[in-house]
Amino acid sequence: MELYIGGTSQGKLQYVLNEKKLSESDAANGNELPLDPPEGIKILEHFELYVRRLIQAGTDPAETALLLERRNPDILIISDEIGSGVIPSDDFERNWRDSTGRVLCLLVPRAVHVTRIICGIGQKLK
């Protein structure tokens, strides 16, 4: 599993597609992926939206993220950084932001590579 993080609209998907020689058809969107993660996922874009949907469904995002990795050990996970900036006053938004950060922290030690992408440029963190 590899993890790619960065701000919104920073070219994360394009970076991954170029680096791995894949196409957009290889990418699943976290806003559309079934909550019970299937096998055969090459790229999961918008992981943060997947976590949001899991929380809304009352499902533990940490357990599901580990299941996603077990079913797809070579998956490339792309997530927007949503923990910077103003702290939301809304309880759900704050919980989503915190939960996404905790799940990403859970995945980092398990990842083979972690790359932060800024303006389309990858910075290897791990």
Side-chain angles (χ1 to χ4, degrees), residues 8 38 55 63 74 81 96 99 105-106 110 113-114:
T8 190
I55 294 168
E63 286 181 20
D74 297 323
E81 292 178 340
W96 167 50
S99 294
C105 287
L106 173 72
R110 304 173 69 83
H113 300 286
V114 178

Side-chain angles (χ1 to χ4, degrees), residues 32-43:
E32 301 165 357
L33 188 72
L35 296 180
D36 182 19
E39 294 180 5
I41 303 169
K42 292 182 183 179
I43 301 171

Side-chain angles (χ1 to χ4, degrees), residues 7 10 16 22 28 31 34 36 39 44 56 64-65 77 83 85 90 93 103 118 121 123:
Q10 293 295 308
V16 171
L22 296 169
N31 213 22
D36 182 19
E39 294 180 5
L44 176 54
Q56 288 171 327
T64 305
I77 296 175
D90 180 77
E93 294 295 320
V103 173
I118 304 166
I121 299 171
Q123 176 185 29

